[in-house]
């Protein structure tokens, strides 16, 4: 299982080089395999220096090959509360 986030450009496209990447060894946790529930944990250093909108993608490797099972958008904003 791999999760990545890439900056969304002004024209709506996104970079093929992820700014954040997580896998089972670094921030992806399977909560319910049968139900398809995973938890992605981001650490402060993952988003340090980032801001704006990011395209996200979750990919699972099956015997028949990799499949993108979820996509989305996350927004990184500067902290209001410190």
């Amino acid at each position: 299982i791999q999760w990545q986030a890439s900056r969304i450009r002004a024209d709506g496209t996104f970079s093929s080089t992820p700014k954040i990447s997580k896998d089972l060894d670094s921030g992806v946790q399977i909560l319910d395999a049968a139900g398809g529930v995973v938890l992605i944990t981001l650490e402060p250093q993952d988003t340090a220096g980032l801001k704006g909108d990011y395209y996200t993608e979750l990919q699972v490797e099956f015997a028949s090959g990799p499949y993108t099972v979820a996509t989305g958008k996350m927004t990184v904003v500067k902290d209001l509360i410190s």
Side-chain angles (χ1 to χ4, degrees), residues 3-20:
W3 178 89
Q4 294 183 344
S6 178
R7 181 83 162 109
I8 298 175
R9 299 180 185 116
D11 66 1
T13 63
F14 58 90
S15 170
S16 61
T17 303
K19 291 290 186 181
I20 306 171

Side-chain angles (χ1 to χ4, degrees), residues 37-72:
V37 180
V38 299
L39 174 67
I40 310 300
T41 302
L42 298 178
E43 300 296 335
Q45 64 269 22
D46 292 327
T47 58
L50 302 181
K51 67 177 181 177
D53 294 330
Y54 291 79
Y55 167 77
T56 63
E57 191 171 287
L58 181 69
Q59 191 174 79
V60 177
E61 183 75 33
F62 293 98
S64 57
Y67 289 90
T68 298
V69 296
T71 62

Side-chain angles (χ1 to χ4, degrees), residues 1-3 22-24 26-30 38-41:
I1 297 176
Q2 187 170 17
W3 178 89
K22 298 289 182 176
D23 59 28
L24 289 172
S26 66
V28 176
Q29 182 181 0
I30 300 171
V38 299
L39 174 67
I40 310 300
T41 302

